[in-house]
PDB file of all heavy atoms in Angstrom:
ATOM      1  N   TYR O  33       2.123   9.109 -10.455  1.00 93.00           N
ATOM      2  CA  TYR O  33       2.061  10.703 -10.552  1.00 93.00           C
ATOM      3  C   TYR O  33       2.104  11.155  -9.032  1.00 93.00           C
ATOM      4  O   TYR O  33       1.680  10.520  -8.065  1.00 93.00           O
ATOM      5  CB  TYR O  33       0.682  11.130 -11.105  1.00 93.00           C
ATOM      6  CG  TYR O  33       0.404  10.703 -12.560  1.00 93.00           C
ATOM      7  CD1 TYR O  33      -0.294   9.604 -12.649  1.00 93.00           C
ATOM      8  CD2 TYR O  33       1.026  11.480 -13.546  1.00 93.00           C
ATOM      9  CE1 TYR O  33      -0.565   9.316 -14.210  1.00 93.00           C
ATOM     10  CE2 TYR O  33       0.762  11.060 -14.909  1.00 93.00           C
ATOM     11  CZ  TYR O  33      -0.064   9.982 -15.157  1.00 93.00           C
ATOM     12  OH  TYR O  33      -0.311   9.584 -16.394  1.00 93.00           O
ATOM     13  N   TYR O  37      -1.688  19.909  -4.047  1.00 97.00           N
ATOM     14  CA  TYR O  37      -3.014  20.638  -4.101  1.00 97.00           C
ATOM     15  C   TYR O  37      -2.915  21.668  -2.981  1.00 97.00           C
ATOM     16  O   TYR O  37      -2.319  21.461  -1.841  1.00 97.00           O
ATOM     17  CB  TYR O  37      -4.168  19.682  -3.821  1.00 97.00           C
ATOM     18  CG  TYR O  37      -4.606  18.916  -5.046  1.00 97.00           C
ATOM     19  CD1 TYR O  37      -4.108  17.722  -5.341  1.00 97.00           C
ATOM     20  CD2 TYR O  37      -5.580  19.341  -5.932  1.00 97.00           C
ATOM     21  CE1 TYR O  37      -4.451  16.994  -6.430  1.00 97.00           C
ATOM     22  CE2 TYR O  37      -6.017  18.609  -6.999  1.00 97.00           C
ATOM     23  CZ  TYR O  37      -5.433  17.327  -7.264  1.00 97.00           C
ATOM     24  OH  TYR O  37      -5.900  16.808  -8.384  1.00 97.00           O
ATOM     25  N   GLN O  39      -5.397  24.240  -0.595  1.00 95.00           N
ATOM     26  CA  GLN O  39      -6.738  24.397  -0.042  1.00 95.00           C
ATOM     27  C   GLN O  39      -6.823  25.635   0.732  1.00 95.00           C
ATOM     28  O   GLN O  39      -6.385  25.645   2.000  1.00 95.00           O
ATOM     29  CB  GLN O  39      -7.247  23.136   0.680  1.00 95.00           C
ATOM     30  CG  GLN O  39      -8.791  23.330   1.019  1.00 95.00           C
ATOM     31  CD  GLN O  39      -9.287  22.048   1.708  1.00 95.00           C
ATOM     32  OE1 GLN O  39      -8.511  21.374   2.518  1.00 95.00           O
ATOM     33  NE2 GLN O  39     -10.488  21.550   1.361  1.00 95.00           N
ATOM     34  N   ARG O  43     -11.716  26.632   1.275  1.00 90.00           N
ATOM     35  CA  ARG O  43     -11.694  25.087   1.308  1.00 90.00           C
ATOM     36  C   ARG O  43     -11.951  24.615  -0.192  1.00 90.00           C
ATOM     37  O   ARG O  43     -12.064  23.357  -0.309  1.00 90.00           O
ATOM     38  CB  ARG O  43     -12.773  24.530   2.147  1.00 90.00           C
ATOM     39  CG  ARG O  43     -12.511  24.878   3.607  1.00 90.00           C
ATOM     40  CD  ARG O  43     -13.262  23.970   4.495  1.00 90.00           C
ATOM     41  NE  ARG O  43     -12.610  22.604   4.705  1.00 90.00           N
ATOM     42  CZ  ARG O  43     -13.100  21.657   5.418  1.00 90.00           C
ATOM     43  NH1 ARG O  43     -14.195  21.802   6.130  1.00 90.00           N
ATOM     44  NH2 ARG O  43     -12.473  20.566   5.372  1.00 90.00           N
ATOM     45  N   GLN O  44     -11.789  25.405  -1.207  1.00 92.00           N
ATOM     46  CA  GLN O  44     -11.696  24.912  -2.528  1.00 92.00           C
ATOM     47  C   GLN O  44     -10.384  24.262  -2.803  1.00 92.00           C
ATOM     48  O   GLN O  44      -9.362  24.607  -2.263  1.00 92.00           O
ATOM     49  CB  GLN O  44     -11.776  26.080  -3.537  1.00 92.00           C
ATOM     50  CG  GLN O  44     -11.468  25.742  -5.055  1.00 92.00           C
ATOM     51  CD  GLN O  44     -12.663  25.119  -5.757  1.00 92.00           C
ATOM     52  OE1 GLN O  44     -13.738  25.605  -5.705  1.00 92.00           O
ATOM     53  NE2 GLN O  44     -12.329  23.925  -6.179  1.00 92.00           N
ATOM     54  N   MET O  45     -10.380  23.024  -3.326  1.00 94.00           N
ATOM     55  CA  MET O  45      -9.204  22.258  -3.575  1.00 94.00           C
ATOM     56  C   MET O  45      -8.659  22.545  -4.990  1.00 94.00           C
ATOM     57  O   MET O  45      -9.271  22.329  -6.014  1.00 94.00           O
ATOM     58  CB  MET O  45      -9.555  20.708  -3.491  1.00 94.00           C
ATOM     59  CG  MET O  45      -8.264  19.877  -3.367  1.00 94.00           C
ATOM     60  SD  MET O  45      -7.369  20.115  -1.886  1.00 94.00           S
ATOM     61  CE  MET O  45      -8.352  19.163  -0.816  1.00 94.00           C
ATOM     62  N   LEU O  47      -5.468  22.361  -7.790  1.00 94.00           N
ATOM     63  CA  LEU O  47      -4.319  21.701  -8.239  1.00 94.00           C
ATOM     64  C   LEU O  47      -3.183  22.720  -8.493  1.00 94.00           C
ATOM     65  O   LEU O  47      -3.424  23.701  -9.207  1.00 94.00           O
ATOM     66  CB  LEU O  47      -4.536  20.936  -9.575  1.00 94.00           C
ATOM     67  CG  LEU O  47      -3.373  20.243 -10.207  1.00 94.00           C
ATOM     68  CD1 LEU O  47      -2.828  19.190  -9.400  1.00 94.00           C
ATOM     69  CD2 LEU O  47      -3.843  19.687 -11.585  1.00 94.00           C
ATOM     70  N   ARG O  50       1.948  19.157 -10.937  1.00 94.00           N
ATOM     71  CA  ARG O  50       1.870  17.677 -11.103  1.00 94.00           C
ATOM     72  C   ARG O  50       3.194  17.231 -11.611  1.00 94.00           C
ATOM     73  O   ARG O  50       3.945  17.875 -12.363  1.00 94.00           O
ATOM     74  CB  ARG O  50       0.837  17.375 -12.143  1.00 94.00           C
ATOM     75  CG  ARG O  50       0.766  16.112 -12.831  1.00 94.00           C
ATOM     76  CD  ARG O  50      -0.337  16.147 -13.982  1.00 94.00           C
ATOM     77  NE  ARG O  50      -0.298  14.953 -14.761  1.00 94.00           N
ATOM     78  CZ  ARG O  50       0.354  14.879 -15.944  1.00 94.00           C
ATOM     79  NH1 ARG O  50       0.911  15.847 -16.405  1.00 94.00           N
ATOM     80  NH2 ARG O  50       0.230  13.749 -16.626  1.00 94.00           N
ATOM     81  N   PHE O  91      -1.600  20.037   0.381  1.00 97.00           N
ATOM     82  CA  PHE O  91      -1.610  18.602   0.405  1.00 97.00           C
ATOM     83  C   PHE O  91      -0.690  18.063  -0.810  1.00 97.00           C
ATOM     84  O   PHE O  91      -0.977  18.370  -1.850  1.00 97.00           O
ATOM     85  CB  PHE O  91      -3.039  18.053   0.275  1.00 97.00           C
ATOM     86  CG  PHE O  91      -3.914  18.390   1.335  1.00 97.00           C
ATOM     87  CD1 PHE O  91      -4.860  19.500   1.310  1.00 97.00           C
ATOM     88  CD2 PHE O  91      -3.955  17.549   2.495  1.00 97.00           C
ATOM     89  CE1 PHE O  91      -5.683  19.736   2.367  1.00 97.00           C
ATOM     90  CE2 PHE O  91      -4.786  17.845   3.610  1.00 97.00           C
ATOM     91  CZ  PHE O  91      -5.672  19.021   3.512  1.00 97.00           C
ATOM     92  N   MET O  95      -0.561   9.209  -6.833  1.00 91.00           N
ATOM     93  CA  MET O  95      -1.548   8.476  -7.753  1.00 91.00           C
ATOM     94  C   MET O  95      -0.895   7.344  -8.513  1.00 91.00           C
ATOM     95  O   MET O  95       0.155   7.541  -9.268  1.00 91.00           O
ATOM     96  CB  MET O  95      -2.272   9.312  -8.726  1.00 91.00           C
ATOM     97  CG  MET O  95      -3.192   8.573  -9.673  1.00 91.00           C
ATOM     98  SD  MET O  95      -3.793   9.638 -11.061  1.00 91.00           S
ATOM     99  CE  MET O  95      -4.852  10.734 -10.183  1.00 91.00           C
ATOM    100  N   ASN O 100      -6.509   2.414 -10.665  1.00 69.00           N
ATOM    101  CA  ASN O 100      -7.782   3.134 -10.514  1.00 69.00           C
ATOM    102  C   ASN O 100      -7.739   4.676 -10.401  1.00 69.00           C
ATOM    103  O   ASN O 100      -8.583   5.241 -10.144  1.00 69.00           O
ATOM    104  CB  ASN O 100      -8.400   2.545  -9.221  1.00 69.00           C
ATOM    105  CG  ASN O 100      -7.501   2.458  -8.134  1.00 69.00           C
ATOM    106  OD1 ASN O 100      -6.728   3.376  -7.854  1.00 69.00           O
ATOM    107  ND2 ASN O 100      -7.493   1.319  -7.226  1.00 69.00           N
ATOM    108  N   TYR O 101      -6.411   5.125 -10.325  1.00 77.00           N
ATOM    109  CA  TYR O 101      -6.217   6.608 -10.398  1.00 77.00           C
ATOM    110  C   TYR O 101      -6.741   7.323  -9.125  1.00 77.00           C
ATOM    111  O   TYR O 101      -7.048   8.401  -9.111  1.00 77.00           O
ATOM    112  CB  TYR O 101      -6.805   7.256 -11.593  1.00 77.00           C
ATOM    113  CG  TYR O 101      -6.104   6.672 -12.799  1.00 77.00           C
ATOM    114  CD1 TYR O 101      -6.870   5.819 -13.667  1.00 77.00           C
ATOM    115  CD2 TYR O 101      -4.813   6.706 -13.091  1.00 77.00           C
ATOM    116  CE1 TYR O 101      -6.351   5.334 -14.834  1.00 77.00           C
ATOM    117  CE2 TYR O 101      -4.217   6.098 -14.219  1.00 77.00           C
ATOM    118  CZ  TYR O 101      -5.056   5.441 -15.041  1.00 77.00           C
ATOM    119  OH  TYR O 101      -4.535   4.942 -16.115  1.00 77.00           O
ATOM    120  N   GLN O 102      -6.862   6.498  -8.149  1.00 83.00           N
ATOM    121  CA  GLN O 102      -7.220   7.124  -6.746  1.00 83.00           C
ATOM    122  C   GLN O 102      -6.168   7.942  -6.191  1.00 83.00           C
ATOM    123  O   GLN O 102      -4.993   7.537  -6.262  1.00 83.00           O
ATOM    124  CB  GLN O 102      -7.583   5.994  -5.691  1.00 83.00           C
ATOM    125  CG  GLN O 102      -7.989   6.254  -4.433  1.00 83.00           C
ATOM    126  CD  GLN O 102      -8.087   5.038  -3.505  1.00 83.00           C
ATOM    127  OE1 GLN O 102      -7.727   5.116  -2.259  1.00 83.00           O
ATOM    128  NE2 GLN O 102      -8.593   4.003  -4.047  1.00 83.00           N
ATOM    129  N   LEU O 103      -6.404   9.010  -5.604  1.00 91.00           N
ATOM    130  CA  LEU O 103      -5.450   9.924  -4.943  1.00 91.00           C
ATOM    131  C   LEU O 103      -5.199   9.399  -3.520  1.00 91.00           C
ATOM    132  O   LEU O 103      -6.263   9.269  -2.787  1.00 91.00           O
ATOM    133  CB  LEU O 103      -5.853  11.315  -4.948  1.00 91.00           C
ATOM    134  CG  LEU O 103      -5.683  12.013  -6.274  1.00 91.00           C
ATOM    135  CD1 LEU O 103      -6.328  13.446  -6.287  1.00 91.00           C
ATOM    136  CD2 LEU O 103      -4.161  12.198  -6.684  1.00 91.00           C
ATOM    137  N   TRP O 105      -3.516  10.640  -0.137  1.00 95.00           N
ATOM    138  CA  TRP O 105      -3.158  12.072   0.390  1.00 95.00           C
ATOM    139  C   TRP O 105      -2.290  12.090   1.590  1.00 95.00           C
ATOM    140  O   TRP O 105      -2.296  11.149   2.448  1.00 95.00           O
ATOM    141  CB  TRP O 105      -4.438  12.825   0.833  1.00 95.00           C
ATOM    142  CG  TRP O 105      -5.357  12.981  -0.335  1.00 95.00           C
ATOM    143  CD1 TRP O 105      -6.418  12.084  -0.767  1.00 95.00           C
ATOM    144  CD2 TRP O 105      -5.612  14.097  -1.166  1.00 95.00           C
ATOM    145  NE1 TRP O 105      -7.072  12.498  -1.757  1.00 95.00           N
ATOM    146  CE2 TRP O 105      -6.629  13.797  -1.989  1.00 95.00           C
ATOM    147  CE3 TRP O 105      -5.026  15.415  -1.232  1.00 95.00           C
ATOM    148  CZ2 TRP O 105      -7.259  14.759  -2.917  1.00 95.00           C
ATOM    149  CZ3 TRP O 105      -5.501  16.280  -2.095  1.00 95.00           C
ATOM    150  CH2 TRP O 105      -6.547  15.938  -2.984  1.00 95.00           C
ATOM    151  N   GLY O 106      -1.355  12.992   1.634  1.00 96.00           N
ATOM    152  CA  GLY O 106      -0.846  13.329   2.866  1.00 96.00           C
ATOM    153  C   GLY O 106      -1.664  14.040   3.877  1.00 96.00           C
ATOM    154  O   GLY O 106      -2.749  14.457   3.555  1.00 96.00           O
TER     155      GLY O 106
ATOM    156  N   GLN U  37     -14.232  14.907   3.279  1.00 96.00           N
ATOM    157  CA  GLN U  37     -13.130  15.647   4.056  1.00 96.00           C
ATOM    158  C   GLN U  37     -13.632  16.108   5.435  1.00 96.00           C
ATOM    159  O   GLN U  37     -14.531  17.084   5.425  1.00 96.00           O
ATOM    160  CB  GLN U  37     -12.485  16.736   3.269  1.00 96.00           C
ATOM    161  CG  GLN U  37     -11.196  17.286   4.092  1.00 96.00           C
ATOM    162  CD  GLN U  37     -10.682  18.596   3.303  1.00 96.00           C
ATOM    163  OE1 GLN U  37     -11.282  19.252   2.563  1.00 96.00           O
ATOM    164  NE2 GLN U  37      -9.281  18.616   3.459  1.00 96.00           N
ATOM    165  N   ASP U  42      -7.372  15.263   5.949  1.00 92.00           N
ATOM    166  CA  ASP U  42      -7.178  15.212   4.411  1.00 92.00           C
ATOM    167  C   ASP U  42      -8.433  14.447   3.797  1.00 92.00           C
ATOM    168  O   ASP U  42      -9.097  13.738   4.532  1.00 92.00           O
ATOM    169  CB  ASP U  42      -5.919  14.293   4.144  1.00 92.00           C
ATOM    170  CG  ASP U  42      -5.813  13.003   4.735  1.00 92.00           C
ATOM    171  OD1 ASP U  42      -5.937  12.859   5.867  1.00 92.00           O
ATOM    172  OD2 ASP U  42      -5.992  12.055   3.958  1.00 92.00           O
ATOM    173  N   PRO U  43      -8.584  14.593   2.527  1.00 94.00           N
ATOM    174  CA  PRO U  43      -9.782  14.016   1.903  1.00 94.00           C
ATOM    175  C   PRO U  43      -9.573  12.492   1.874  1.00 94.00           C
ATOM    176  O   PRO U  43      -8.562  11.889   1.769  1.00 94.00           O
ATOM    177  CB  PRO U  43      -9.655  14.524   0.376  1.00 94.00           C
ATOM    178  CG  PRO U  43      -8.978  15.683   0.486  1.00 94.00           C
ATOM    179  CD  PRO U  43      -7.866  15.456   1.577  1.00 94.00           C
ATOM    180  N   PHE U  45     -11.002   9.064  -0.087  1.00 92.00           N
ATOM    181  CA  PHE U  45     -11.704   8.606  -1.340  1.00 92.00           C
ATOM    182  C   PHE U  45     -12.840   7.821  -0.915  1.00 92.00           C
ATOM    183  O   PHE U  45     -12.816   6.850  -0.256  1.00 92.00           O
ATOM    184  CB  PHE U  45     -10.682   7.850  -2.063  1.00 92.00           C
ATOM    185  CG  PHE U  45     -11.321   7.118  -3.302  1.00 92.00           C
ATOM    186  CD1 PHE U  45     -11.645   7.820  -4.364  1.00 92.00           C
ATOM    187  CD2 PHE U  45     -11.345   5.708  -3.253  1.00 92.00           C
ATOM    188  CE1 PHE U  45     -12.195   7.197  -5.543  1.00 92.00           C
ATOM    189  CE2 PHE U  45     -11.949   5.122  -4.403  1.00 92.00           C
ATOM    190  CZ  PHE U  45     -12.298   5.787  -5.380  1.00 92.00           C
ATOM    191  N   ASP U  56     -13.849   2.204  -9.011  1.00 87.00           N
ATOM    192  CA  ASP U  56     -13.219   1.965  -7.684  1.00 87.00           C
ATOM    193  C   ASP U  56     -13.979   2.315  -6.541  1.00 87.00           C
ATOM    194  O   ASP U  56     -14.782   3.244  -6.536  1.00 87.00           O
ATOM    195  CB  ASP U  56     -11.700   2.579  -7.669  1.00 87.00           C
ATOM    196  CG  ASP U  56     -10.791   2.030  -6.627  1.00 87.00           C
ATOM    197  OD1 ASP U  56     -10.972   0.866  -6.222  1.00 87.00           O
ATOM    198  OD2 ASP U  56      -9.919   2.780  -6.225  1.00 87.00           O
ATOM    199  N   PHE U  90     -16.431  16.400  -1.664  1.00 97.00           N
ATOM    200  CA  PHE U  90     -15.912  16.923  -2.849  1.00 97.00           C
ATOM    201  C   PHE U  90     -16.225  15.887  -3.963  1.00 97.00           C
ATOM    202  O   PHE U  90     -16.165  14.747  -3.876  1.00 97.00           O
ATOM    203  CB  PHE U  90     -14.287  17.110  -2.910  1.00 97.00           C
ATOM    204  CG  PHE U  90     -13.850  18.290  -2.085  1.00 97.00           C
ATOM    205  CD1 PHE U  90     -13.260  18.108  -0.870  1.00 97.00           C
ATOM    206  CD2 PHE U  90     -14.089  19.576  -2.727  1.00 97.00           C
ATOM    207  CE1 PHE U  90     -12.714  19.188  -0.223  1.00 97.00           C
ATOM    208  CE2 PHE U  90     -13.583  20.622  -1.985  1.00 97.00           C
ATOM    209  CZ  PHE U  90     -12.950  20.500  -0.815  1.00 97.00           C
ATOM    210  N   GLU U  96      -9.609  10.385 -18.584  1.00 78.00           N
ATOM    211  CA  GLU U  96      -8.742   9.311 -18.947  1.00 78.00           C
ATOM    212  C   GLU U  96      -8.258   9.360 -20.379  1.00 78.00           C
ATOM    213  O   GLU U  96      -7.167   8.959 -20.619  1.00 78.00           O
ATOM    214  CB  GLU U  96      -9.519   7.930 -18.646  1.00 78.00           C
ATOM    215  CG  GLU U  96      -9.921   7.757 -17.199  1.00 78.00           C
ATOM    216  CD  GLU U  96      -8.728   7.892 -16.200  1.00 78.00           C
ATOM    217  OE1 GLU U  96      -7.867   7.224 -16.375  1.00 78.00           O
ATOM    218  OE2 GLU U  96      -8.974   8.631 -15.274  1.00 78.00           O
ATOM    219  N   GLY U  99      -5.366  11.226 -20.720  1.00 72.00           N
ATOM    220  CA  GLY U  99      -4.201  10.522 -20.190  1.00 72.00           C
ATOM    221  C   GLY U  99      -3.359  11.310 -19.162  1.00 72.00           C
ATOM    222  O   GLY U  99      -2.349  10.893 -18.712  1.00 72.00           O
ATOM    223  N   THR U 100      -3.839  12.462 -18.879  1.00 69.00           N
ATOM    224  CA  THR U 100      -3.095  13.324 -17.805  1.00 69.00           C
ATOM    225  C   THR U 100      -3.458  12.952 -16.372  1.00 69.00           C
ATOM    226  O   THR U 100      -2.759  12.972 -15.427  1.00 69.00           O
ATOM    227  CB  THR U 100      -3.351  14.758 -17.893  1.00 69.00           C
ATOM    228  OG1 THR U 100      -4.754  14.997 -17.803  1.00 69.00           O
ATOM    229  CG2 THR U 100      -2.926  15.260 -19.281  1.00 69.00           C
ATOM    230  N   HIS U 101      -4.685  12.411 -16.182  1.00 78.00           N
ATOM    231  CA  HIS U 101      -5.180  11.965 -14.932  1.00 78.00           C
ATOM    232  C   HIS U 101      -5.257  13.002 -13.848  1.00 78.00           C
ATOM    233  O   HIS U 101      -5.235  12.755 -12.572  1.00 78.00           O
ATOM    234  CB  HIS U 101      -4.464  10.748 -14.417  1.00 78.00           C
ATOM    235  CG  HIS U 101      -4.431   9.633 -15.529  1.00 78.00           C
ATOM    236  ND1 HIS U 101      -5.493   9.065 -15.911  1.00 78.00           N
ATOM    237  CD2 HIS U 101      -3.316   9.123 -16.107  1.00 78.00           C
ATOM    238  CE1 HIS U 101      -5.150   8.226 -16.903  1.00 78.00           C
ATOM    239  NE2 HIS U 101      -3.898   8.127 -16.994  1.00 78.00           N
ATOM    240  N   GLU U 102      -5.129  14.245 -14.199  1.00 88.00           N
ATOM    241  CA  GLU U 102      -5.230  15.344 -13.281  1.00 88.00           C
ATOM    242  C   GLU U 102      -6.774  15.479 -12.790  1.00 88.00           C
ATOM    243  O   GLU U 102      -7.530  15.521 -13.684  1.00 88.00           O
ATOM    244  CB  GLU U 102      -4.914  16.703 -13.829  1.00 88.00           C
ATOM    245  CG  GLU U 102      -3.256  16.654 -14.223  1.00 88.00           C
ATOM    246  CD  GLU U 102      -2.941  17.911 -15.052  1.00 88.00           C
ATOM    247  OE1 GLU U 102      -3.957  18.743 -15.300  1.00 88.00           O
ATOM    248  OE2 GLU U 102      -1.797  18.167 -15.271  1.00 88.00           O
ATOM    249  N   GLN U 103      -6.948  15.466 -11.495  1.00 92.00           N
ATOM    250  CA  GLN U 103      -8.296  15.558 -11.014  1.00 92.00           C
ATOM    251  C   GLN U 103      -8.636  17.006 -10.637  1.00 92.00           C
ATOM    252  O   GLN U 103      -7.814  17.621  -9.824  1.00 92.00           O
ATOM    253  CB  GLN U 103      -8.363  14.722  -9.713  1.00 92.00           C
ATOM    254  CG  GLN U 103      -8.234  13.119 -10.126  1.00 92.00           C
ATOM    255  CD  GLN U 103      -8.567  12.299  -8.943  1.00 92.00           C
ATOM    256  OE1 GLN U 103      -9.310  12.729  -7.921  1.00 92.00           O
ATOM    257  NE2 GLN U 103      -8.048  11.102  -8.994  1.00 92.00           N
ATOM    258  N   PHE U 105     -11.238  19.498  -8.947  1.00 95.00           N
ATOM    259  CA  PHE U 105     -12.081  19.393  -7.881  1.00 95.00           C
ATOM    260  C   PHE U 105     -13.312  20.556  -8.029  1.00 95.00           C
ATOM    261  O   PHE U 105     -12.977  21.688  -8.359  1.00 95.00           O
ATOM    262  CB  PHE U 105     -11.562  19.613  -6.466  1.00 95.00           C
ATOM    263  CG  PHE U 105     -10.795  18.428  -6.066  1.00 95.00           C
ATOM    264  CD1 PHE U 105      -9.583  17.938  -6.679  1.00 95.00           C
ATOM    265  CD2 PHE U 105     -11.299  17.559  -4.964  1.00 95.00           C
ATOM    266  CE1 PHE U 105      -9.021  16.788  -6.246  1.00 95.00           C
ATOM    267  CE2 PHE U 105     -10.668  16.412  -4.585  1.00 95.00           C
ATOM    268  CZ  PHE U 105      -9.503  16.031  -5.254  1.00 95.00           C
ATOM    269  N   GLY U 106     -14.469  20.126  -7.461  1.00 95.00           N
ATOM    270  CA  GLY U 106     -15.540  21.157  -7.379  1.00 95.00           C
ATOM    271  C   GLY U 106     -15.383  21.871  -6.092  1.00 95.00           C
ATOM    272  O   GLY U 106     -14.486  21.580  -5.284  1.00 95.00           O
ATOM    273  N   PRO U 107     -16.229  22.921  -5.802  1.00 94.00           N
ATOM    274  CA  PRO U 107     -16.147  23.690  -4.663  1.00 94.00           C
ATOM    275  C   PRO U 107     -16.540  22.827  -3.274  1.00 94.00           C
ATOM    276  O   PRO U 107     -16.311  23.418  -2.258  1.00 94.00           O
ATOM    277  CB  PRO U 107     -17.046  24.886  -4.941  1.00 94.00           C
ATOM    278  CG  PRO U 107     -18.185  24.255  -5.822  1.00 94.00           C
ATOM    279  CD  PRO U 107     -17.438  23.292  -6.769  1.00 94.00           C
ATOM    280  N   ARG U 110     -20.963  21.326   1.607  1.00 97.00           N
ATOM    281  CA  ARG U 110     -20.795  21.226   3.110  1.00 97.00           C
ATOM    282  C   ARG U 110     -22.018  20.578   3.677  1.00 97.00           C
ATOM    283  O   ARG U 110     -23.151  21.227   3.697  1.00 97.00           O
ATOM    284  CB  ARG U 110     -20.502  22.588   3.671  1.00 97.00           C
ATOM    285  CG  ARG U 110     -20.067  22.503   5.183  1.00 97.00           C
ATOM    286  CD  ARG U 110     -19.852  23.884   5.643  1.00 97.00           C
ATOM    287  NE  ARG U 110     -18.774  24.513   5.012  1.00 97.00           N
ATOM    288  CZ  ARG U 110     -17.464  24.420   5.234  1.00 97.00           C
ATOM    289  NH1 ARG U 110     -17.203  23.586   6.204  1.00 97.00           N
ATOM    290  NH2 ARG U 110     -16.615  25.092   4.525  1.00 97.00           N
TER     291      ARG U 110
END
Side-chain angles (χ1 to χ4, degrees):
Chain O
Y33 299 96
Y37 280 88
Q39 189 174 38
R43 299 198 74 186
Q44 170 78 52
M45 193 69 79
L47 176 62
R50 163 181 174 268
F91 291 97
M95 176 192 286
N100 50 42
Y101 303 111
Q102 174 191 146
L103 284 169
W105 300 83
Chain U
Q37 186 181 32
D42 57 293
F45 171 73
D56 196 20
F90 283 110
E96 297 305 309
T100 59
H101 309 299
E102 295 174 353
Q103 293 184 22
F105 284 71
R110 186 181 302 275

